[in-house]
Amino acid sequence: MASDTPPIHLQADALVATVRAVFDSGRTRPLAWRIAQLRALDRMLVDEADAIHAALLADLGKCAIESRLTETAFLRAEIAHTLKHLRRWLRPQRIAIPLSLQPARGRLVPEPLGVALVIAPWNYPVQLLLAPLIGALAAGNAAVLKPSEVSPNVAATLARLIPRYLDNEAVAVVEGGVAETTALLREQFDHIFYTGNSAVARVVMTAAAQHLTPVTLELGGKSPLWIDDSVDMEAAARRIAWAKFLNAGQTCVAPDYVLATPAVAEKLIPQLRAAIRELYGNDPQANPVYGRIINDRHVERLLAQIDPARSVIGGEHDAGERYIAPTVLHPATAGDASMQDEIFGPILPIVPVADANAAIAFIRVRPKPLALYAFTSDRSLRQRFVDETSSGALVFDFAVAHLTAPEMPFGGIGNSGMGAYHGEASFRIFSHFKPVMSKPLKPDTLRLIFPPYGKTVERVIDWLLVRG
Ligand code: NAD
């Protein structure tokens, strides 16, 4: 039976054409439109908080307070920061003109790129779809949003709500999985902002290359954490446990594994046990504050990483409920299953190393992480981490919450991604800073470098161009 629905690639084609026509009409450029969209997005996050939080609970077992903290309130803070500073970001910047071109004036004028494609993952499915959108709207772009099909309740909720609050011709939401994303990726965009795993990032970048479209890739990987006994172990353990077990460990910047000397590891383990009890009680499964694994496939993947012989904390699970207890593995080694890929779940291996030199060496021979955490009060060691390691971010004595500082660009390096966003960095991603230059026709100083060439040109080259 013939269907009336056009094939998926034609749907993508028509949708992108509509969004592009809106951008081309100039509707998204005025400051008033941008502000109205950002305010409407904020209104949606307030008025529809219950529906959004319910979807997050259904997909990830995320309680309302944690959803507020890490998703809706986070986004509202980004919007407030953007609204506060947008006029300043939009102001053309004067740039200095060398003597050789004087008299002349130059400035950098930010202009929107056009139509942005935002592809989001499932672990913070609201934040990671809408935080890039804030930058795209602030910069005056139209956008196509592709939420993750792996968090279906959030995807359906956002697809229903966004058109009701935002300019629904300039911002489109496409639900679906690989087929829909593949169809979208055949289209020409002006920027693609992808958050997710590095295998799909390669697919995205390959598709983008066909149109020479710039990309931002927010990826993951194993974020290490070093701890030594120069710090208050009880306070440190509380911060580590919170950062690791938030969202049941499904956080791109969660500490993936700990490096510590055997003596420090022995001190840390009881403190982690106490911290987990303080945060989630004696039975985290019964505590609504503790989240669930996104789906059965990921439960299976994670259970294969738990070696019962080394589960010094946790290890319990209930696959039917997609529950895995906060788990600490010790002693772990580089060859363990948990040390091969990003864990992305509530499992924390502690890898004993001889000293800080060995820890730095361990980190340096592995792909550059999205975040590197060092709990140490030793100032010279801190400096060594700054100088001798490379990561998306380096954070001392805390973890994960660094990404809530809007003026700290957030992104990876090498395998953990390219490009960084939040605050002004988001605005910059979706803007082209166009150099605009003008030079009066009189005095006609440029003639000094035109043919016929002679001694004057040589003098101008030496005196004005080279020596400035
Ligand atoms: P995912 O499976 O939801 O995939 C992400 C997006 O890619 C989805 O929208 C999906 O539809 C699309 N997709 C999947 N396969 C595709 C294909 N073959 N072709 C085109 N599109 C496709 O999410 P995920 O990748 O499992 O997310 C987890 C990863 O994301 C982890 O590695 C994590 O560290 C990383 N992450 C990074 C950040 C960051 O900000 N750097 C944040 C969150 C997650």
Side-chain angles (χ1 to χ4, degrees), residues 119-123 128 146-150 176-178 181-182 185 194-197 200 203 218-221 252 342 344 370 410:
I119 305 174
W122 51 265
N123 61 327
L128 298 172
K146 179 27 206 84
S148 175
E149 73 283 13
V150 183
V178 175
T181 320
T182 305
L185 285 171
Y194 167 80
T195 306
N197 67 70
V200 174
V203 174
E218 298 285 340
L219 314 179
C252 55
E342 179 182 4
F344 221 53
L370 186 55
F410 171 63

mmCIF file of all heavy atoms in Angstrom, residues 119-123 128 146-150 176-178 181-182 185 194-197 200 203 218-221 252 342 344 370 410, ligand 1:
data_model
loop_
_atom_site.group_PDB
_atom_site.id
_atom_site.type_symbol
_atom_site.label_atom_id
_atom_site.label_comp_id
_atom_site.label_asym_id
_atom_site.label_seq_id
_atom_site.Cartn_x
_atom_site.Cartn_y
_atom_site.Cartn_z
ATOM 1 N N ILE A 119 22.933 17.946 17.516
ATOM 2 C CA ILE A 119 22.629 16.524 17.747
ATOM 3 C C ILE A 119 23.022 16.201 19.188
ATOM 4 O O ILE A 119 24.184 16.379 19.577
ATOM 5 C CB ILE A 119 23.429 15.618 16.780
ATOM 6 C CG1 ILE A 119 23.180 16.027 15.323
ATOM 7 C CG2 ILE A 119 23.069 14.158 16.995
ATOM 8 C CD1 ILE A 119 24.044 15.261 14.313
ATOM 9 N N ALA A 120 22.056 15.736 19.982
ATOM 10 C CA ALA A 120 22.312 15.565 21.415
ATOM 11 C C ALA A 120 22.274 14.100 21.832
ATOM 12 O O ALA A 120 21.617 13.276 21.189
ATOM 13 C CB ALA A 120 21.273 16.348 22.202
ATOM 14 N N PRO A 121 22.954 13.773 22.928
ATOM 15 C CA PRO A 121 22.905 12.415 23.479
ATOM 16 C C PRO A 121 21.832 12.311 24.574
ATOM 17 O O PRO A 121 21.093 13.262 24.816
ATOM 18 C CB PRO A 121 24.306 12.243 24.061
ATOM 19 C CG PRO A 121 24.637 13.597 24.576
ATOM 20 C CD PRO A 121 23.910 14.596 23.698
ATOM 21 N N TRP A 122 21.829 11.177 25.259
ATOM 22 C CA TRP A 122 20.725 10.851 26.171
ATOM 23 C C TRP A 122 21.033 11.111 27.636
ATOM 24 O O TRP A 122 20.147 11.030 28.472
ATOM 25 C CB TRP A 122 20.385 9.361 26.003
ATOM 26 C CG TRP A 122 21.609 8.473 26.097
ATOM 27 C CD1 TRP A 122 22.365 8.005 25.058
ATOM 28 C CD2 TRP A 122 22.238 7.978 27.282
ATOM 29 N NE1 TRP A 122 23.424 7.258 25.517
ATOM 30 C CE2 TRP A 122 23.364 7.229 26.885
ATOM 31 C CE3 TRP A 122 21.968 8.091 28.649
ATOM 32 C CZ2 TRP A 122 24.218 6.592 27.802
ATOM 33 C CZ3 TRP A 122 22.820 7.464 29.558
ATOM 34 C CH2 TRP A 122 23.921 6.733 29.132
ATOM 35 N N ASN A 123 22.286 11.386 27.995
ATOM 36 C CA ASN A 123 22.610 11.344 29.437
ATOM 37 C C ASN A 123 22.193 12.598 30.197
ATOM 38 O O ASN A 123 21.762 12.513 31.342
ATOM 39 C CB ASN A 123 24.077 11.006 29.658
ATOM 40 C CG ASN A 123 25.030 11.995 29.065
ATOM 41 O OD1 ASN A 123 24.748 12.584 28.022
ATOM 42 N ND2 ASN A 123 26.145 12.203 29.707
ATOM 43 N N LEU A 128 21.897 19.099 27.088
ATOM 44 C CA LEU A 128 22.842 18.991 25.967
ATOM 45 C C LEU A 128 22.203 19.290 24.615
ATOM 46 O O LEU A 128 22.899 19.518 23.635
ATOM 47 C CB LEU A 128 23.507 17.610 25.980
ATOM 48 C CG LEU A 128 24.334 17.369 27.251
ATOM 49 C CD1 LEU A 128 24.812 15.926 27.325
ATOM 50 C CD2 LEU A 128 25.518 18.317 27.339
ATOM 51 N N LYS A 146 18.121 17.728 17.103
ATOM 52 C CA LYS A 146 17.905 16.279 17.022
ATOM 53 C C LYS A 146 18.187 15.690 18.414
ATOM 54 O O LYS A 146 19.324 15.404 18.760
ATOM 55 C CB LYS A 146 18.846 15.745 15.941
ATOM 56 C CG LYS A 146 18.893 14.296 15.609
ATOM 57 C CD LYS A 146 17.691 13.462 15.843
ATOM 58 C CE LYS A 146 18.144 12.046 16.053
ATOM 59 N NZ LYS A 146 18.559 11.702 17.392
ATOM 60 N N PRO A 147 17.118 15.509 19.218
ATOM 61 C CA PRO A 147 17.324 14.883 20.535
ATOM 62 C C PRO A 147 17.637 13.396 20.372
ATOM 63 O O PRO A 147 17.401 12.830 19.306
ATOM 64 C CB PRO A 147 15.977 15.086 21.234
ATOM 65 C CG PRO A 147 14.979 15.314 20.151
ATOM 66 C CD PRO A 147 15.716 15.840 18.943
ATOM 67 N N SER A 148 18.152 12.796 21.428
ATOM 68 C CA SER A 148 18.522 11.381 21.340
ATOM 69 C C SER A 148 17.300 10.482 21.484
ATOM 70 O O SER A 148 16.495 10.648 22.399
ATOM 71 C CB SER A 148 19.530 11.027 22.432
ATOM 72 O OG SER A 148 19.789 9.636 22.388
ATOM 73 N N GLU A 149 17.230 9.496 20.602
ATOM 74 C CA GLU A 149 16.150 8.511 20.671
ATOM 75 C C GLU A 149 16.349 7.553 21.846
ATOM 76 O O GLU A 149 15.434 6.823 22.223
ATOM 77 C CB GLU A 149 16.087 7.727 19.349
ATOM 78 C CG GLU A 149 17.203 6.713 19.090
ATOM 79 C CD GLU A 149 18.542 7.340 18.657
ATOM 80 O OE1 GLU A 149 18.707 8.564 18.778
ATOM 81 O OE2 GLU A 149 19.421 6.551 18.206
ATOM 82 N N VAL A 150 17.544 7.577 22.430
ATOM 83 C CA VAL A 150 17.826 6.661 23.545
ATOM 84 C C VAL A 150 17.128 7.146 24.831
ATOM 85 O O VAL A 150 16.893 6.367 25.745
ATOM 86 C CB VAL A 150 19.359 6.522 23.729
ATOM 87 C CG1 VAL A 150 19.713 5.530 24.814
ATOM 88 C CG2 VAL A 150 20.006 6.110 22.409
ATOM 89 N N GLY A 176 13.851 10.890 16.258
ATOM 90 C CA GLY A 176 14.239 9.717 15.484
ATOM 91 C C GLY A 176 15.635 9.258 15.831
ATOM 92 O O GLY A 176 16.283 9.822 16.728
ATOM 93 N N GLY A 177 16.080 8.221 15.121
ATOM 94 C CA GLY A 177 17.373 7.617 15.434
ATOM 95 C C GLY A 177 18.359 7.774 14.298
ATOM 96 O O GLY A 177 18.440 8.839 13.675
ATOM 97 N N VAL A 178 19.057 6.674 14.010
ATOM 98 C CA VAL A 178 20.131 6.724 13.023
ATOM 99 C C VAL A 178 19.612 7.157 11.652
ATOM 100 O O VAL A 178 20.210 8.012 10.992
ATOM 101 C CB VAL A 178 20.834 5.346 12.934
ATOM 102 C CG1 VAL A 178 21.873 5.340 11.842
ATOM 103 C CG2 VAL A 178 21.472 4.988 14.269
ATOM 104 N N THR A 181 18.836 10.883 11.610
ATOM 105 C CA THR A 181 20.057 11.693 11.724
ATOM 106 C C THR A 181 20.870 11.608 10.436
ATOM 107 O O THR A 181 21.415 12.600 9.962
ATOM 108 C CB THR A 181 20.921 11.218 12.922
ATOM 109 O OG1 THR A 181 20.065 10.907 13.997
ATOM 110 C CG2 THR A 181 21.898 12.288 13.350
ATOM 111 N N THR A 182 20.903 10.414 9.851
ATOM 112 C CA THR A 182 21.633 10.240 8.598
ATOM 113 C C THR A 182 21.021 11.120 7.505
ATOM 114 O O THR A 182 21.742 11.773 6.741
ATOM 115 C CB THR A 182 21.594 8.748 8.163
ATOM 116 O OG1 THR A 182 22.099 7.973 9.246
ATOM 117 C CG2 THR A 182 22.433 8.494 6.927
ATOM 118 N N LEU A 185 21.980 14.639 8.114
ATOM 119 C CA LEU A 185 23.405 14.902 7.854
ATOM 120 C C LEU A 185 23.726 15.030 6.365
ATOM 121 O O LEU A 185 24.793 15.517 5.993
ATOM 122 C CB LEU A 185 24.270 13.812 8.497
ATOM 123 C CG LEU A 185 24.424 13.915 10.019
ATOM 124 C CD1 LEU A 185 25.109 12.666 10.567
ATOM 125 C CD2 LEU A 185 25.203 15.160 10.418
ATOM 126 N N TYR A 194 27.686 18.501 17.670
ATOM 127 C CA TYR A 194 27.374 17.120 18.046
ATOM 128 C C TYR A 194 27.929 16.806 19.430
ATOM 129 O O TYR A 194 29.099 17.091 19.722
ATOM 130 C CB TYR A 194 27.988 16.151 17.020
ATOM 131 C CG TYR A 194 27.992 14.716 17.503
ATOM 132 C CD1 TYR A 194 26.841 13.932 17.418
ATOM 133 C CD2 TYR A 194 29.129 14.156 18.086
ATOM 134 C CE1 TYR A 194 26.833 12.628 17.894
ATOM 135 C CE2 TYR A 194 29.129 12.855 18.566
ATOM 136 C CZ TYR A 194 27.975 12.094 18.466
ATOM 137 O OH TYR A 194 27.963 10.813 18.952
ATOM 138 N N THR A 195 27.096 16.221 20.265
ATOM 139 C CA THR A 195 27.565 15.707 21.558
ATOM 140 C C THR A 195 27.272 14.222 21.597
ATOM 141 O O THR A 195 26.125 13.813 21.352
ATOM 142 C CB THR A 195 26.841 16.403 22.739
ATOM 143 O OG1 THR A 195 26.990 17.812 22.603
ATOM 144 C CG2 THR A 195 27.433 15.968 24.072
ATOM 145 N N GLY A 196 28.258 13.433 21.934
ATOM 146 C CA GLY A 196 28.040 11.985 22.002
ATOM 147 C C GLY A 196 29.360 11.239 21.913
ATOM 148 O O GLY A 196 30.412 11.777 22.268
ATOM 149 N N ASN A 197 29.297 10.016 21.394
ATOM 150 C CA ASN A 197 30.510 9.187 21.401
ATOM 151 C C ASN A 197 31.374 9.441 20.157
ATOM 152 O O ASN A 197 30.901 9.988 19.154
ATOM 153 C CB ASN A 197 30.143 7.704 21.545
ATOM 154 C CG ASN A 197 29.414 7.178 20.328
ATOM 155 O OD1 ASN A 197 30.003 7.023 19.252
ATOM 156 N ND2 ASN A 197 28.118 6.933 20.453
ATOM 157 N N VAL A 200 30.406 7.885 16.468
ATOM 158 C CA VAL A 200 29.414 8.648 15.693
ATOM 159 C C VAL A 200 29.994 10.010 15.291
ATOM 160 O O VAL A 200 29.677 10.538 14.215
ATOM 161 C CB VAL A 200 28.083 8.786 16.470
ATOM 162 C CG1 VAL A 200 27.106 9.692 15.734
ATOM 163 C CG2 VAL A 200 27.447 7.414 16.694
ATOM 164 N N VAL A 203 31.301 9.797 11.955
ATOM 165 C CA VAL A 203 30.230 9.806 10.944
ATOM 166 C C VAL A 203 29.805 11.250 10.693
ATOM 167 O O VAL A 203 29.634 11.686 9.545
ATOM 168 C CB VAL A 203 29.019 8.962 11.438
ATOM 169 C CG1 VAL A 203 27.851 9.078 10.473
ATOM 170 C CG2 VAL A 203 29.417 7.506 11.667
ATOM 171 N N GLU A 218 31.552 17.467 20.972
ATOM 172 C CA GLU A 218 31.674 17.349 22.434
ATOM 173 C C GLU A 218 31.628 15.857 22.752
ATOM 174 O O GLU A 218 30.562 15.247 22.743
ATOM 175 C CB GLU A 218 30.522 18.097 23.127
ATOM 176 C CG GLU A 218 30.506 19.595 22.852
ATOM 177 C CD GLU A 218 31.580 20.350 23.632
ATOM 178 O OE1 GLU A 218 32.086 19.818 24.641
ATOM 179 O OE2 GLU A 218 31.920 21.480 23.232
ATOM 180 N N LEU A 219 32.787 15.280 23.038
ATOM 181 C CA LEU A 219 32.873 13.826 23.163
ATOM 182 C C LEU A 219 33.216 13.435 24.602
ATOM 183 O O LEU A 219 33.102 14.243 25.521
ATOM 184 C CB LEU A 219 33.888 13.291 22.156
ATOM 185 C CG LEU A 219 33.734 13.872 20.728
ATOM 186 C CD1 LEU A 219 34.790 13.321 19.802
ATOM 187 C CD2 LEU A 219 32.338 13.617 20.186
ATOM 188 N N GLY A 220 33.642 12.213 24.773
ATOM 189 C CA GLY A 220 33.877 11.737 26.143
ATOM 190 C C GLY A 220 35.247 11.111 26.285
ATOM 191 O O GLY A 220 36.232 11.625 25.760
ATOM 192 N N GLY A 221 35.293 9.988 26.963
ATOM 193 C CA GLY A 221 36.559 9.309 27.209
ATOM 194 C C GLY A 221 36.745 9.124 28.706
ATOM 195 O O GLY A 221 35.843 9.405 29.496
ATOM 196 N N CYS A 252 29.548 12.806 31.208
ATOM 197 C CA CYS A 252 30.749 12.777 30.369
ATOM 198 C C CYS A 252 32.003 13.188 31.136
ATOM 199 O O CYS A 252 33.095 12.719 30.839
ATOM 200 C CB CYS A 252 30.574 13.674 29.152
ATOM 201 S SG CYS A 252 30.131 15.355 29.598
ATOM 202 N N GLU A 342 35.600 4.303 28.186
ATOM 203 C CA GLU A 342 34.892 5.144 29.152
ATOM 204 C C GLU A 342 33.847 4.290 29.875
ATOM 205 O O GLU A 342 33.094 3.554 29.221
ATOM 206 C CB GLU A 342 34.213 6.281 28.382
ATOM 207 C CG GLU A 342 33.430 7.231 29.217
ATOM 208 C CD GLU A 342 32.749 8.302 28.356
ATOM 209 O OE1 GLU A 342 32.837 8.235 27.115
ATOM 210 O OE2 GLU A 342 32.138 9.203 28.942
ATOM 211 N N PHE A 344 31.179 5.268 31.991
ATOM 212 C CA PHE A 344 29.842 5.854 31.791
ATOM 213 C C PHE A 344 28.786 5.122 32.610
ATOM 214 O O PHE A 344 27.720 4.766 32.136
ATOM 215 C CB PHE A 344 29.484 5.833 30.300
ATOM 216 C CG PHE A 344 28.811 7.102 29.856
ATOM 217 C CD1 PHE A 344 29.385 8.343 30.105
ATOM 218 C CD2 PHE A 344 27.586 7.081 29.199
ATOM 219 C CE1 PHE A 344 28.764 9.510 29.712
ATOM 220 C CE2 PHE A 344 26.964 8.249 28.798
ATOM 221 C CZ PHE A 344 27.556 9.462 29.063
ATOM 222 N N LEU A 370 38.632 14.506 28.652
ATOM 223 C CA LEU A 370 37.750 15.679 28.673
ATOM 224 C C LEU A 370 38.015 16.493 29.938
ATOM 225 O O LEU A 370 38.011 17.717 29.921
ATOM 226 C CB LEU A 370 36.290 15.195 28.641
ATOM 227 C CG LEU A 370 35.176 16.219 28.526
ATOM 228 C CD1 LEU A 370 35.368 17.108 27.301
ATOM 229 C CD2 LEU A 370 33.821 15.519 28.459
ATOM 230 N N PHE A 410 33.849 25.102 27.809
ATOM 231 C CA PHE A 410 33.750 23.684 28.125
ATOM 232 C C PHE A 410 33.866 22.856 26.847
ATOM 233 O O PHE A 410 33.054 23.015 25.927
ATOM 234 C CB PHE A 410 32.412 23.404 28.820
ATOM 235 C CG PHE A 410 32.134 21.935 28.991
ATOM 236 C CD1 PHE A 410 32.965 21.154 29.780
ATOM 237 C CD2 PHE A 410 31.066 21.330 28.345
ATOM 238 C CE1 PHE A 410 32.733 19.798 29.921
ATOM 239 C CE2 PHE A 410 30.827 19.972 28.489
ATOM 240 C CZ PHE A 410 31.659 19.207 29.278
HETATM 241 P P1 NAD B 1 23.527 8.644 21.728
HETATM 242 O O1 NAD B 1 23.542 7.172 21.494
HETATM 243 O O2 NAD B 1 22.265 9.289 22.169
HETATM 244 O O3 NAD B 1 24.063 9.316 20.382
HETATM 245 C C1 NAD B 1 24.185 10.716 20.273
HETATM 246 C C2 NAD B 1 23.405 11.190 19.057
HETATM 247 O O4 NAD B 1 23.960 10.632 17.880
HETATM 248 C C3 NAD B 1 21.932 10.809 19.081
HETATM 249 O O5 NAD B 1 21.154 11.945 18.775
HETATM 250 C C4 NAD B 1 21.835 9.729 18.024
HETATM 251 O O6 NAD B 1 20.581 9.733 17.366
HETATM 252 C C5 NAD B 1 22.929 10.093 17.069
HETATM 253 N N1 NAD B 1 23.452 8.909 16.362
HETATM 254 C C6 NAD B 1 23.678 7.693 16.884
HETATM 255 N N2 NAD B 1 24.195 6.858 15.948
HETATM 256 C C7 NAD B 1 24.285 7.580 14.796
HETATM 257 C C8 NAD B 1 24.755 7.293 13.479
HETATM 258 N N3 NAD B 1 25.220 6.096 13.137
HETATM 259 N N4 NAD B 1 24.715 8.287 12.569
HETATM 260 C C9 NAD B 1 24.250 9.510 12.897
HETATM 261 N N5 NAD B 1 23.810 9.829 14.134
HETATM 262 C C10 NAD B 1 23.818 8.892 15.069
HETATM 263 O O7 NAD B 1 24.577 9.064 22.825
HETATM 264 P P2 NAD B 1 26.005 8.419 23.155
HETATM 265 O O8 NAD B 1 26.916 8.576 22.013
HETATM 266 O O9 NAD B 1 25.841 7.079 23.778
HETATM 267 O O10 NAD B 1 26.434 9.445 24.312
HETATM 268 C C11 NAD B 1 27.352 9.091 25.269
HETATM 269 C C12 NAD B 1 28.715 9.631 24.906
HETATM 270 O O11 NAD B 1 28.626 11.032 24.812
HETATM 271 C C13 NAD B 1 29.755 9.360 25.955
HETATM 272 O O12 NAD B 1 30.969 9.053 25.335
HETATM 273 C C14 NAD B 1 29.875 10.688 26.687
HETATM 274 O O13 NAD B 1 31.098 10.892 27.320
HETATM 275 C C15 NAD B 1 29.650 11.649 25.587
HETATM 276 N N6 NAD B 1 29.159 12.906 26.115
HETATM 277 C C16 NAD B 1 29.930 14.012 25.985
HETATM 278 C C17 NAD B 1 29.500 15.202 26.513
HETATM 279 C C18 NAD B 1 30.296 16.462 26.389
HETATM 280 O O14 NAD B 1 29.740 17.522 26.645
HETATM 281 N N7 NAD B 1 31.551 16.419 25.990
HETATM 282 C C19 NAD B 1 28.294 15.260 27.178
HETATM 283 C C20 NAD B 1 27.533 14.096 27.283
HETATM 284 C C21 NAD B 1 27.971 12.931 26.746
#
